[in-house]
Each structure stands twice: as C-alpha cells, then as structure tokens.
Amino acid sequence: MVEIDMKMKMQRVDEIIEGYKGEEGVLIQLLLDIQSEFNWIPHGVIARISERLRIPKSHIYRIASFYKAMSLNPVGRHIIQVCLGTACQVRGAPKILDRVEENLKIKEGGTTPDMRFSLKRVNCLGCCAMGPVVVVDGNYHGKITPAMVEDILGKYK
Ligand code: FES
C-alpha cells in the first residue's frame, strides 16, 4: 500500500517537473507546487528533483529550509495555531492548548497519525483583544474557552 502510494506520488512529482520543462530558474516555484500538492516536501521527492533537474540536493534543501511556506516535515491538512502570547496566556490560553492536545491526542508541534491536523503554538497573532485566540487554516476564533474547543475542531474532522 505504502509502495503504491509512493509510486503515485512520484508520478505526480514527475508531472509537475514536466510542467516546467525547458524553463530556467523554476526551482522555487516547483517546490511551492510540491508543497501545495503534498502539504510538505518529502525527502524522496527532493532526491527525484535533484536527479531529474541535475541540481545538488544540498541546494534544494537550502531553498526548502529558507522559505517559511515550505516544510520538510509532514504537515496535516488542517493547521491549528494556538496563541500563547502574553495577552492570551493571562486569559487562559494554556488551558486551551491542553484541551486541543487532549482532543487530538498529540502534543504541540505534532501531527495526528491520519495527517488531518498539525498543532502549533505561536506567540501573538496581533489580535490580543480577541484572546485567547485559536487559528485553524487561517480562520481566527477569538475569546475561546476550553469548552468551545471540541466544537471548533469538530468542524474540521
Ligand atoms: S497574545 Fe495572542 S493575539 Fe496577541
């Protein structure tokens, strides 16, 4: 099963590479396309790009680590950010984070085994008056209480 999955993944990678055939300086765009296709850039895919485009792997890793929009680790389909900046902390953000971790059965920085959710802790999202704040896929949820966590996450399950 995993093997078939990997084969399909590589076919898709080859299609994306083909789409840029003959064009110069396409590496960043190509990596962004891979990122948006798989939600991260797997190591095997970097090896494939390196082989097909004759670009050293070290150079590809440098680019992929430099851009925040690219991830070298698996990322879930839904990204949950829990703000633990000072204003959110004093309004109970640590309890919100605990509840999210409990609900998803992962720790901050982790991804659920089904690749549905990744959980990140952030420091101030610039909307302190709304605190505590949880952002899911860019959607802001403000004045959160621990009791609201299940409902919010339920919308993405
Ligand atoms: S501290 Fe959470 S939004 Fe500013």
Side-chain angles (χ1 to χ4, degrees):
M1 186 68 180
V2 173
E3 218 167 273
I4 293 170
D5 201 46
M6 196 58 195
K7 207 171 167 185
M8 283 171 61
K9 205 174 263 182
M10 285 308 175
Q11 269 174 9
R12 184 66 196 120
V13 170
D14 286 342
E15 281 168 23
I16 293 172
I17 294 172
E18 280 301 307
Y20 288 104
K21 204 174 172 186
E23 291 180 44
E24 294 286 321
V26 296
L27 184 58
I28 294 173
Q29 191 52 53
L30 177 63
L31 291 173
L32 286 170
D33 286 1
I34 300 283
Q35 171 72 38
S36 97
E37 181 78 23
F38 303 113
N39 237 1
W40 70 297
I41 305 172
H43 301 290
V45 169
I46 288 189
R48 183 68 142 227
I49 295 170
S50 165
E51 184 190 303
R52 296 274 319 265
L53 298 182
R54 295 179 205 284
I55 297 173
K57 278 194 258 182
S58 57
H59 180 64
I60 304 174
Y61 276 112
R62 231 186 345 264
I63 301 274
S65 335
F66 180 78
Y67 287 96
K68 279 209 161 70
M70 300 175 193
S71 173
L72 289 168
N73 294 310
V75 177
R77 284 194 296 288
H78 302 292
I79 314 275
I80 303 166
Q81 297 173 302
V82 179
C83 180
L84 281 158
T86 310
C88 286
Q89 281 229 22
V90 297
R91 292 179 177 150
K95 283 192 177 136
I96 305 295
L97 180 62
D98 285 351
R99 187 61 72 90
V100 175
E101 288 180 336
E102 225 174 84
N103 187 289
L104 298 179
K105 298 179 178 62
I106 54 171
K107 288 287 172 198
E108 173 261 310
T111 295
T112 55
D114 63 0
M115 301 300 291
R116 190 176 289 266
F117 294 104
S118 285
L119 176 58
K120 294 179 180 177
R121 147 199 191 133
V122 290
N123 290 317
C124 193
L125 291 153
C127 51
C128 309
M130 285 171 66
V133 182
V134 171
V135 179
V136 185
D137 298 341
N139 298 315
Y140 285 66
H141 302 269
K143 300 201 186 296
I144 301 294
T145 63
M148 292 160 75
V149 166
E150 195 169 346
D151 269 2
I152 293 169
L153 298 182
K155 291 181 191 147
Y156 300 88
K157 284 188 175 171

